[in-house]
Amino acid sequence: MWRRTGYCGELRASHVGQEVILMGWVHRRRDHGGLIFVDLRDREGQVQVVFNPERGQEAYEVARRMRPEYVGAIRGRVAMRPPGTENPALDTGQVEVLAEEARILNEARTPVFPIEEETAAAEEVRLAYRYLDLRRPSLQQNLRLRHRVYQVIRSFLDRNGFIEIETPVLTKSTPEGARDFLVPSRLSPGHFYALPQSPQLFKQLLMVAGFDSYFQIVKCYRDEDLRADRQPEFTQIDIEMSFVDREGVLPLMEELIAEIFQAAKGVKLPRPFPRLTFTESFDRYGLDNPDTRFEMDLTDLSEVVRGTEFRPFADALESGGVVKGINAHGCSDYSRKDIEELTDYIKVFGAKGLVPFRVTPEGVSSPMAKFFSPVLLEAIRGVLQGSPGDLLLLVADQPPVVAEALGRLRLKLAERLGLLDPHKFNPVWVTDFPLLEFDEKEGRWSAVHHPFTAPVGEDVPLFDTDPGRIRAQAYDLIINGQEVGGGSIRIHRREVQAKMFQVLGIGEEEARAKFGFLLEALEFGTPPHGGIAFGLDRLIMILTGAESIRDVIAFPKTQKGQCLMSKAPSPVDGAQLKELRIKLDLP
RNA sequence: GGGGUCGUAGUUCAGUCGGAUAGAACGCCGGCCUGUCACGCCGGAGGUCGCGAGUUCGAGUCUCGUCGGCCCCGCCA
């Protein structure tokens, strides 16, 4: 076998005169009868190879048999292209390789879809032939950027004293949180391992063990329904630190994120990152994952419109609700149909309606104008700072409904107005989440973050009086409205953990059965500790501008959790099931 | 569990009011062509209209069911 001298995509004018041996895929062949051009492609790019029978009759004959995606090897000399035939679209476009000898290393079936930067092929087809899809430059670039990010993370955390430790993939099912993937145990019939939703308990135990600072780039598994940014298995950058409070975690994590953005995008993120409390975020943006690349804040109009006869507003206010609005700058020309579309959109989130007011040079107009006095219309305009050309959109309902409806509407409008600058990266910490939320369905308190999150010290007495007002020492990192990470300072005292389980309705016995090992560990000298986990896939999505998480994962699954290439999941034969003592009960 | 949308040649799509032999482009195969790079020109092959029922003289087209892709709600500590 020949040994290649380098990559196709690397050849430049400086290589002219050198003899090279190249190997790669036939990207395209242009047969002129007496002269054949072959673009040979490898991971670094492509280069034009010229087959002239006068230079190599046998090589020419081989080139005649070449077809797209054949794997070929050529030996030849790098030459400047004749003047006027350079191709500025190619990095290698100044030069070409004059083939003297050629070999076909392997033939290829006609590709199911052409291997091009932008493919028109449906994702269904691309996923079934993922290895062909992965030949396309855009996916190659995404995965190589992902590789770069792995290296930056390891280098940064190593430099800062973190120790990389693997935790079990076959572990224990725990209550709360997402549905577990289960793995039957052959050696313990009727017992099951669970795949970890995160290494949460293990990393805390590593703190108990005295490793001080730990990290892991680790797969996590959650058996929930998929979305454009959710896969059943995904990767976290999992981090935990001992003897720290929040200020020991956040600034260092900002350095890590900044280093990633610098290395991957050449973007400098100013530090410190801005911070918002959960309450501020909720009030201004309606969501706990605010996109701060643009303004359009939610504004409270409850006091302005109090006393109005307009039923939807009056009813909402009487039943403890609020009236809030946003100013869609320059949207006064939105048609009735546009407004209807936006209304339908927010109805998905529980809002009953959307009340529009157009600001014109003559004043404020609205289909609902007859319910409002001119003074009130002017007051609404004033509070929302409406100028002629603006469209004011109001929603009235219970606070959470108003927040989500307007928060999502704000994003929808920003998208329509082109306010989401893809070159802008706005990180923001959201802090002071509530520790608990009341689950109406289950009729009990549940943890907003997870049951090991520490409450803010001064709020601990509220456990007995008003659990809903306890703040958590938890924090999320949001970039451009995407939650890319979240963490907390953990409970390290046995009695606080007990209080937490108590309020969650997890009995002494159940707690011992489910988390006994953690509770016990807390009794053996647990340092104060806390940490964070970043969603690596989502981070790579932001860095690459990918619209789907599938574009940053080599072998992703469909919305039904299937791998169209390997056909997983699949039935297994009876012997396997018998060995596991499993009987199927299918509909 | 629910809502929306899509499924026709290898690929991307068109296909009228239900009507005769289901079309186009790209790709593929063959021929010609010595400076192309989305090469060009000539010719050709290629179809389980996702699958299954039903309505009809007749279904790619209408109805019902079903399978699958994508987006969303619920879900995702």
Side-chain angles (χ1 to χ4, degrees):
Chain A
M1 179 132 177
W2 282 346
R3 183 163 301 167
R4 64 178 167 178
T5 55
Y7 289 110
C8 302
E10 287 176 342
L11 294 181
R12 297 292 183 274
S14 59
H15 297 90
V16 165
Q18 291 181 12
E19 188 184 274
V20 292
I21 293 173
L22 301 175
M23 298 182 187
W25 286 263
V26 174
H27 189 64
R28 236 181 273 279
R29 186 182 71 118
R30 292 175 294 280
D31 185 345
H32 287 243
L35 194 65
I36 297 172
F37 298 95
V38 167
D39 295 333
L40 201 64
R41 185 193 73 234
D42 58 28
R43 72 174 208 200
E44 301 301 329
Q46 51 177 280
V47 68
Q48 172 166 283
V49 182
V50 186
F51 293 86
N52 189 328
E54 290 162 20
R55 196 172 180 97
Q57 180 63 38
E58 279 177 34
Y60 172 82
E61 294 299 331
V62 171
R64 275 171 55 98
R65 287 169 32 227
M66 285 181 171
R67 292 293 182 274
E69 301 309 309
Y70 274 34
V71 184
I74 62 110
R75 185 180 59 75
R77 198 162 291 278
V78 182
M80 290 304 289
R81 291 192 180 195
T85 67
E86 301 88 351
N87 185 350
L90 286 181
D91 289 338
T92 60
Q94 290 293 309
V95 300
E96 60 192 9
V97 178
L98 308 176
E100 281 156 18
E101 211 179 332
R103 297 174 184 174
I104 289 172
L105 302 179
N106 212 341
E107 299 180 351
R109 279 167 52 184
T110 301
V112 177
F113 52 88
I115 311 303
E116 286 164 351
E117 173 69 40
E118 291 295 327
T119 179
E123 195 165 7
E124 201 170 350
V125 180
R126 293 169 46 205
L127 289 174
Y129 296 89
R130 186 61 166 178
Y131 43 86
L132 295 182
D133 201 24
L134 287 170
R135 286 182 189 172
R136 297 190 304 114
S138 60
L139 286 184
Q140 293 245 331
Q141 281 159 20
N142 287 357
L143 292 179
R144 290 178 69 169
L145 183 140
R146 188 173 171 130
H147 159 80
R148 181 51 43 214
V149 170
Y150 293 140
Q151 309 316 315
V152 171
I153 292 165
R154 290 211 160 89
S155 150
F156 177 91
L157 292 174
D158 178 52
R159 242 182 295 135
N160 283 278
F162 288 80
I163 296 168
E164 183 171 6
I165 301 174
E166 291 182 70
T167 52
V169 169
L170 296 177
T171 177
K172 189 176 164 67
S173 180
T174 52
E176 308 228 12
R179 190 177 296 115
D180 286 321
F181 278 102
L182 296 177
V183 179
S185 164
R186 176 181 56 84
L187 297 174
S188 304
H191 289 58
F192 295 82
Y193 300 100
L195 303 183
Q197 296 174 25
S198 82
Q200 184 60 37
L201 297 181
F202 288 103
K203 70 173 171 178
Q204 290 190 240
L205 294 168
L206 289 170
M207 297 303 100
V208 178
F211 284 97
D212 193 279
S213 299
Y214 139 96
F215 85 99
Q216 186 180 188
I217 299 175
V218 61
K219 277 286 185 76
C220 302
Y221 308 85
R222 295 178 189 177
D223 188 9
E224 297 292 349
D225 286 357
L226 279 57
R227 285 288 189 283
D229 60 353
R230 275 167 27 190
Q231 283 273 303
E233 54 178 308
F234 61 99
T235 304
Q236 283 192 346
I237 310 164
D238 195 43
I239 291 172
E240 197 75 7
M241 302 165 72
S242 294
F243 305 109
V244 291
D245 59 9
R246 186 174 77 185
E247 298 318 308
V249 178
L250 301 198
L252 189 64
M253 294 301 104
E254 290 179 358
E255 294 306 313
L256 169 62
I257 295 296
E259 202 161 304
I260 290 171
F261 271 78
Q262 180 66 53
K265 293 290 284 187
V267 168
K268 271 200 168 28
L269 295 180
R271 270 143 289 147
F273 293 172
R275 295 187 191 184
L276 286 172
T277 65
F278 171 80
T279 307
E280 287 167 346
S281 179
F282 196 77
D283 288 347
R284 283 181 62 187
Y285 303 101
L287 308 168
D288 59 8
N289 55 334
D291 191 329
T292 59
R293 283 177 294 176
F294 63 103
E295 295 300 322
M296 210 192 294
D297 287 8
L298 278 55
T299 306
D300 197 327
L301 293 153
S302 304
E303 293 317 310
V304 178
V305 302
R306 194 172 294 282
T308 178
E309 286 165 26
F310 184 55
R311 286 300 346 147
F313 286 4
D315 288 349
L317 291 173
E318 270 164 38
S319 57
V322 293
V323 178
K324 296 184 83 168
I326 53 177
N327 181 347
H329 289 294
C331 295
S332 69
D333 59 341
Y334 272 24
S335 65
R336 217 178 71 180
K337 192 166 162 258
D338 289 324
I339 307 277
E340 235 168 73
E341 257 179 52
L342 297 175
T343 306
D344 288 344
Y345 178 68
I346 63 167
K347 278 184 176 166
V348 171
F349 308 107
K352 294 178 200 73
L354 182 63
V355 186
F357 297 89
R358 293 189 174 79
V359 185
T360 68
E362 291 76 42
V364 180
S365 72
S366 169
M368 309 294 162
K370 62 182 170 188
F371 298 104
F372 298 88
S373 69
V375 175
L376 186 48
L377 288 176
E378 181 53 28
I380 292 171
R381 188 203 62 76
V383 174
L384 284 170
Q385 299 179 358
S387 315
D390 289 353
L391 177 68
L392 314 178
L393 297 166
L394 274 62
V395 173
D397 215 305
Q398 293 304 306
V401 174
V402 172
E404 182 166 24
L406 283 179
R408 302 290 286 255
L409 183 63
R410 175 180 172 271
L411 288 175
K412 187 77 166 178
L413 286 165
E415 197 186 321
R416 284 176 73 140
L417 295 169
L419 300 178
L420 304 175
D421 181 353
H423 302 295
K424 207 164 156 183
F425 300 98
N426 277 24
V428 55
W429 292 108
V430 177
T431 64
D432 293 294
F433 284 83
L435 185 71
L436 300 159
E437 64 187 341
F438 196 74
D439 186 331
E440 299 288 347
K441 257 199 330 253
E442 307 260 331
R444 63 180 182 90
W445 292 98
S446 71
V448 169
H449 192 55
H450 58 55
F452 317 107
T453 299
V456 170
E458 62 190 73
D459 290 353
V460 170
L462 293 170
F463 266 116
D464 302 316
T465 55
D466 194 354
R469 280 184 46 219
I470 304 173
R471 286 164 298 165
Q473 296 194 53
Y475 32 80
D476 278 359
L477 179 65
I478 312 298
I479 301 179
N480 296 358
Q482 289 273 326
E483 183 194 328
V484 303
S488 63
I489 301 303
R490 324 298 182 188
I491 297 170
H492 68 284
R493 300 180 67 92
R494 178 75 170 85
E495 64 275 15
V496 178
Q497 188 64 67
K499 268 204 176 316
M500 184 72 176
F501 282 145
Q502 195 188 341
V503 74
L504 291 175
I506 300 174
E508 189 76 21
E509 219 168 288
E510 186 185 358
R512 199 151 283 285
K514 308 284 190 189
F515 315 104
F517 59 106
L518 177 75
L519 297 177
E520 205 173 5
L522 292 179
E523 293 165 0
F524 281 95
T526 299
H529 63 286
I532 194 166
F534 296 100
L536 182 69
D537 312 277
R538 287 187 187 171
L539 198 54
I540 306 294
M541 280 177 75
I542 291 170
L543 290 167
T544 58
E547 285 183 9
S548 162
I549 195 171
R550 298 180 296 278
D551 288 341
V552 298
I553 294 174
F555 299 102
K557 294 182 172 58
T558 69
Q559 200 158 47
K560 284 227 163 72
Q562 308 203 6
C563 172
L564 295 182
M565 186 183 62
S566 69
K567 303 278 166 53
S570 56
V572 295
D573 67 57
Q576 273 177 291
L577 288 177
K578 198 164 181 191
E579 204 164 44
L580 295 167
R581 314 280 189 98
I582 289 178
K583 282 204 177 92
L584 298 181
D585 178 22
L586 301 174

